[in-house]
């Protein structure tokens, strides 16, 4: 007895497979073994003497554990069987909430449908206007260009935007060809550019004696800049990227221009102007328009970085800035924010980098009609459009905002602001104000000139 008592204390809780129990023919008691549901039911029936009837499933839901498909399901569904049922008032309230949700959703759908219809109507109206304007431009205006270009009717039609199909032709006629460049001349300069590219790819140390005014290093840098800028030109379109359909075309026009005007060379921003022209004109025509456009006084001053001329343009701009937007002008003055901070980028690319492409083309339309004055009027229109926002900003935020304008800017809003800008100061128009600034500058130079030696 002592032996077995001692062994029992030392042994771990016995399991069914323990050999010690088998020696004595005994089986250890089973602890907490799970019983089958059928066995439990049979035991219950044997004890009570009556049959067990399981509860009938709900007619609406077979499975209590469900996941509602939406909030409407939570409102309309009955509660699970193990929870108290909804009261009549609660069920009615849920039904009312559901009906209100459905009605609100229908209102939104109707509102969106009306909005889509309005957009489509405006688009159809715009397309009809473009189609009718195109007929007028093709049949009436272009055949009689010199006689009709300055008429009030044509100028009003011009302000509304040129039809894309005639835009390139009108731009070419408006810019003109004072330089008398021919397609054959373009081919000559293009072949020179290709020869230069070939020579630079073979060796970077050869001296090109053709253009003695420019060093090899400068021209190499210019060609490298072209390669870099082409990939940055309208990157969202992908058509000017390497392998795109217009990459080589843009490279050719810019390369030919560096050979045609080695005194100007290539300046960052030119790629955007050339790209817009290529999108609207044939290759040779695009080059002709590009060269003549960059030969205009304003563009030549900026691209040749003529500081004295650029300062005159900025001074003229500030005269009309103060006249049209005095509060914003004083706000800019308080931060010493000068026009060169934002105007240089706008003028260099003719707004094609700063504005959406379709809106930039619309600006180009009127620029070809009105000349350099419209570039500065457009700048004032942009400042007027965002005047309330700019008045709340400091120097850094203003500079950042004007460097990268909002993408949701529309032609209707911008051109309504441009139309509100008055390009007249003390009965003087833009050309008169600019001429007086140039005159003052010449007189100042004479007064400050050294006295002649005896």
């Amino acid at each position: 007895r002592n032996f077995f008592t001692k062994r029992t204390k030392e042994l771990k809780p016995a399991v069914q497979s323990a050999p010690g129990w088998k020696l004595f023919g005994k089986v250890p008691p089973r602890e907490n073994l799970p019983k089958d549901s059928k066995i439990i039911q049979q035991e219950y029936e044997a004890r009570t003497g009556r049959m067990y009837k399981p509860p009938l499933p709900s007619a609406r839901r077979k499975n209590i554990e469900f996941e509602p498909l939406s909030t409407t399901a939570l409102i309309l569904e009955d509660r699970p069987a193990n929870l108290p049922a909804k009261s009549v008032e609660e069920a009615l309230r849920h039904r009312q909430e559901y009906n209100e949700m459905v009605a609100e959703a229908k209102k939104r759908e109707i509102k969106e449908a009306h909005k889509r219809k309005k957009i489509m109507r405006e688009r159809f109206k715009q397309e009809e206007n473009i189609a009718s304007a195109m007929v007028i431009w093709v049949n009436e205006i272009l055949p009689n260009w010199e006689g009709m270009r300055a008429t009030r009717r044509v100028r009003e039609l011009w302000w509304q935007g040129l039809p894309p199909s005639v835009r390139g032709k009108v731009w070419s006629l408006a810019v003109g060809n004072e330089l008398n460049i021919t397609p054959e001349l373009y081919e000559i300069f293009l072949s020179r550019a290709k020869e230069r590219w070939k020579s630079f790819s073979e060796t970077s140390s050869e001296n090109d004696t053709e253009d003695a005014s420019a060093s090899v290093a400068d021209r190499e840098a210019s060609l490298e800049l072209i390669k870099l800028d082409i990939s940055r030109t309208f990157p969202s379109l992908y058509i000017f990227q390497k392998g795109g359909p217009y990459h080589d075309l843009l490279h050719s026009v810019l390369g030919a221009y560096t050979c045609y005007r080695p005194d100007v060379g290539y300046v960052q921003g030119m790629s955007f102007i050339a790209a817009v022209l290529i999108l609207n004109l044939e290759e040779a025509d695009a080059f002709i328009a590009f060269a003549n456009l960059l030969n205009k006084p304003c563009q030549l001053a900026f691209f040749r970085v003529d500081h004295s001329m650029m300062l005159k343009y900025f001074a003229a701009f500030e005269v009309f800035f103060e006249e049209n937007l005095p509060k914003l002008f004083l706000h800019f003055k308080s931060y010493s924010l000068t026009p060169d901070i934002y105007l240089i980028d706008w003028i260099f690319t003719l707004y094609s980098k700063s504005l959406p492409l379709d809106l930039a083309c619309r600006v180009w339309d009127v620029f070809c009609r009105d000349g350099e004055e419209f570039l500065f009027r457009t700048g004032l229109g942009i400042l007027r459009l965002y005047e309330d926002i700019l008045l709340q900003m400091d120097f850094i935020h203003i500079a950042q905002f004007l460097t990268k304008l909002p993408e949701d800017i529309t032609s209707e809003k911008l051109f309504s602001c441009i139309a509100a800008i008055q390009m007249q100061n003390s009965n003087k128009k833009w050309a008169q104000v600019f001429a007086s600034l140039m005159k003052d500058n010449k007189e100042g130079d004479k007064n400050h000139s050294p006295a002649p030696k005896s």
Side-chain angles (χ1 to χ4, degrees):
R1 187 168 52 193
N2 291 335
F3 176 77
F4 281 108
T5 303
K6 190 174 182 181
R7 293 282 295 180
T8 306
K9 287 178 182 178
E10 292 175 358
L11 286 173
K12 293 179 181 179
V15 292
Q16 186 176 358
S17 60
W21 290 104
K22 290 183 181 178
L23 292 173
F24 298 95
K26 294 183 179 181
V27 178
R30 297 182 180 179
E31 297 180 3
N32 298 328
L33 284 175
K35 290 184 179 181
D36 189 15
S37 58
K38 290 184 179 180
I39 296 172
I40 295 171
Q41 184 180 343
Q42 289 172 2
E43 290 178 356
Y44 172 80
E45 290 174 358
R47 277 199 317 273
T48 59
R50 57 185 178 181
M51 297 291 290
Y52 171 74
K53 294 181 180 179
L56 293 172
S58 173
R60 290 193 64 178
R61 186 183 292 105
K62 294 182 180 180
N63 184 12
I64 292 174
E65 296 179 357
F66 73 99
E67 184 177 352
L69 297 176
S70 64
T71 53
T72 55
L74 285 172
I75 293 173
L76 296 178
E77 287 281 353
D78 292 331
R79 290 201 180 100
N82 60 336
L83 295 176
K86 290 181 184 180
S87 63
V88 177
E89 293 82 4
E90 188 178 8
L92 288 172
R93 190 176 75 251
H94 285 178
R95 171 61 66 177
Q96 185 179 357
E97 289 174 358
Y98 171 73
N99 291 334
E100 288 174 358
M101 290 169 61
V102 171
E104 195 66 31
K106 285 182 178 177
K107 283 182 184 178
R108 283 198 302 271
E109 288 179 4
I110 292 169
K111 190 176 179 180
E112 289 175 1
H114 283 313
K115 189 177 179 181
R116 286 194 297 269
K117 284 181 180 178
K118 186 180 178 182
I119 292 170
M120 291 300 293
R121 280 199 301 270
E122 289 176 355
R123 189 176 296 171
F124 288 143
K125 186 179 178 181
Q126 187 179 6
E127 289 176 357
E128 286 175 359
N129 291 337
I130 290 171
S132 59
M134 184 187 68
V135 173
I136 296 170
W137 279 99
V138 171
N139 296 334
E140 298 179 31
I141 301 172
L142 290 177
N144 307 292
W145 173 251
E146 293 300 330
M148 294 189 68
R149 64 176 297 180
T151 60
R152 184 176 178 181
R153 181 195 175 198
V154 172
R155 289 181 66 82
E156 288 177 356
L157 199 62
W158 208 330
W159 175 268
Q160 295 169 11
L162 297 171
S165 57
V166 300
R167 177 169 274 153
K169 180 66 175 174
V170 175
W171 286 358
S172 294
L173 291 170
V175 171
N177 189 10
E178 292 179 357
L179 300 174
N180 295 318
I181 303 172
T182 60
E184 292 76 21
L185 190 63
Y186 166 65
E187 292 296 333
I188 292 169
F189 286 111
L190 178 57
S191 62
R192 288 184 186 179
K194 289 179 178 178
E195 288 174 8
R196 186 186 295 181
W197 296 331
K198 187 179 178 181
S199 65
F200 284 147
S201 63
E202 290 173 356
T203 174
S204 60
S205 61
E206 288 186 17
N207 291 328
D208 191 352
T209 58
E210 185 178 351
D211 297 320
S213 60
S215 68
V216 176
D218 289 341
R219 275 175 276 131
E220 277 189 5
S222 184
L223 290 173
E224 287 301 317
L225 265 179
I226 292 174
K227 288 180 182 178
L228 283 172
D229 271 12
I230 287 175
S231 61
R232 298 170 185 163
T233 307
F234 300 121
S236 58
L237 296 180
Y238 299 105
I239 56 176
F240 295 105
Q241 313 305 306
K242 194 168 184 179
Y246 290 101
H247 175 272
D248 295 340
L249 196 60
L250 181 57
H251 197 262
S252 298
V253 170
L254 294 173
Y257 183 77
T258 58
C259 292
Y260 175 70
R261 291 298 298 266
D263 58 322
V264 179
Y266 176 77
V267 182
Q268 282 186 315
M270 286 182 178
S271 62
F272 281 89
I273 298 175
V276 174
L277 291 169
I278 286 169
L279 289 173
N280 291 277
L281 290 162
E282 296 296 325
E283 183 177 351
D285 294 329
F287 176 79
I288 294 169
F290 181 71
N292 280 278
L293 190 58
L294 266 55
N295 198 52
K296 302 293 182 184
C298 181
Q299 278 63 51
L300 205 58
F302 275 80
F303 282 112
R304 295 184 75 170
V305 196
D306 187 339
H307 290 289
S308 61
M309 283 290 289
M310 290 170 71
L311 289 173
K312 298 298 172 295
Y313 279 108
F314 294 148
F317 174 80
E318 286 198 303
V319 168
F320 294 96
F321 187 2
E322 186 178 11
E323 180 75 22
N324 286 275
L325 306 166
K327 285 177 65 178
L328 190 62
F329 177 79
L330 291 175
H331 184 66
F332 278 29
K333 279 287 184 186
S334 65
Y335 285 111
S336 301
L337 200 149
T338 51
D340 57 290
I341 293 172
Y342 52 92
L343 264 185
I344 285 178
D345 194 42
W346 293 352
I347 302 299
F348 263 121
T349 61
L350 302 181
Y351 296 95
S352 56
K353 183 183 176 184
S354 308
L355 298 175
L357 183 57
D358 57 339
L359 181 52
C361 287
R362 177 108 186 258
V363 170
W364 278 45
D365 291 343
V366 189
F367 162 62
C368 289
R369 187 193 78 171
D370 294 349
E372 64 185 33
E373 174 188 330
F374 189 73
L375 294 178
F376 298 95
R377 190 180 180 190
T378 300
L380 292 172
I382 292 171
L383 295 178
R384 183 186 179 90
L385 179 61
Y386 296 110
E387 182 179 13
D388 295 337
I389 299 171
L390 293 169
L391 284 170
Q392 308 301 321
M393 293 181 177
D394 57 10
F395 180 93
I396 297 296
H397 290 93
I398 291 172
Q400 290 175 343
F401 183 87
L402 295 179
T403 302
K404 186 173 175 57
L405 295 171
E407 295 180 0
D408 59 348
I409 184 170
T410 60
S411 59
E412 290 77 14
K413 290 180 180 179
L414 177 59
F415 270 77
S416 64
C417 289
I418 294 172
I421 298 295
Q422 297 297 320
M423 298 301 284
Q424 194 164 340
N425 176 262
S426 302
N427 296 324
K428 287 184 179 180
K429 295 184 178 181
W430 169 268
Q432 293 170 322
V433 170
F434 187 75
S436 65
L437 287 168
M438 293 293 292
K439 184 180 178 182
D440 293 342
N441 184 57
K442 288 178 181 178
E443 289 178 357
D445 292 342
K446 286 180 182 178
N447 294 333
H448 290 88
S449 60
K453 293 181 181 180
S454 57

